[in-house]
Amino acid sequence: MKQLVNSDTLLGGFFGLVALILLRSSYHSSDVFLLPGDAPPFLVAQLALYAVLALSLAILIKGVLRGGVAPGDIRWRPTFLMMALLLMTTVLFKMAGYLLIVPLAVAGCCLILGYRKPVPLVGLSVAVPVATYLLLVKFASLPLPTIPGLEF
């Protein structure tokens, strides 16, 4: 029997599970006020979560088809660091605000993946959060947590 433990199955399974939990909670949120004819408030977020779920399942299937590797060959440190980064980002997201936590999370993700050049690292850490902020807040009108004491 093939070994199924590898970075693809671990990360694909983890992100798929997170997407499922967030999707479930988005459908069971009872404190949302809707007017007749309004689009559901979590529609854009749910579509993004469905995309994450589909990509996670594709990564998981790729990992299963690829098969496992010998336990000594697995790079566990980046896998667990990425999971810890996602968990820490999720916990601190609402307390510290989107524009403070997400740039740090993107920079941490880049460092875990081995990107060390300062210009691309800073560029990605600024461009990704600003682009997603503009997309979600300005165009999709979704509220994101703000930095405490700072309103945009």
Side-chain angles (χ1 to χ4, degrees):
M1 184 169 109
K2 276 200 306 193
Q3 228 181 0
L4 297 179
V5 177
N6 58 45
S7 59
D8 290 339
T9 56
L10 288 174
L11 287 176
F14 179 75
F15 285 114
L17 181 64
V18 169
L20 282 173
I21 291 169
L22 292 175
L23 269 170
R24 184 185 180 283
S25 69
S26 74
Y27 280 109
H28 293 339
S29 181
S30 61
D31 58 348
V32 177
F33 177 72
L34 283 178
L35 295 173
D38 278 352
F42 297 118
L43 181 65
V44 174
Q46 287 170 343
L47 291 175
L49 286 170
Y50 279 118
V52 168
L53 182 61
L55 289 172
S56 297
L57 290 176
I59 291 170
L60 182 66
I61 291 169
K62 177 186 173 251
V64 169
L65 293 177
R66 181 180 78 171
V69 294
D73 296 339
I74 297 175
R75 294 178 44 215
W76 291 104
R77 187 170 184 260
T79 303
F80 286 119
L81 283 174
M82 195 67 80
M83 288 180 188
L85 178 67
L86 178 66
L87 180 65
M88 185 175 61
T89 301
T90 305
V91 169
L92 296 174
F93 187 73
K94 195 168 187 177
M95 287 186 288
Y98 180 84
L99 289 175
L100 182 64
I101 290 300
V102 173
L104 295 174
V106 171
C109 182
C110 289
L111 289 172
I112 290 169
L113 293 175
Y115 297 107
R116 302 278 191 258
K117 293 183 179 178
V119 174
L121 183 66
V122 171
L124 281 172
S125 298
V126 172
V128 169
V130 168
T132 54
Y133 178 83
L134 290 174
L135 177 70
L136 295 174
V137 172
K138 300 298 180 188
F139 298 120
S141 299
L142 291 175
L144 288 175
T146 58
I147 299 171
L150 197 66
E151 296 292 325
F152 290 135

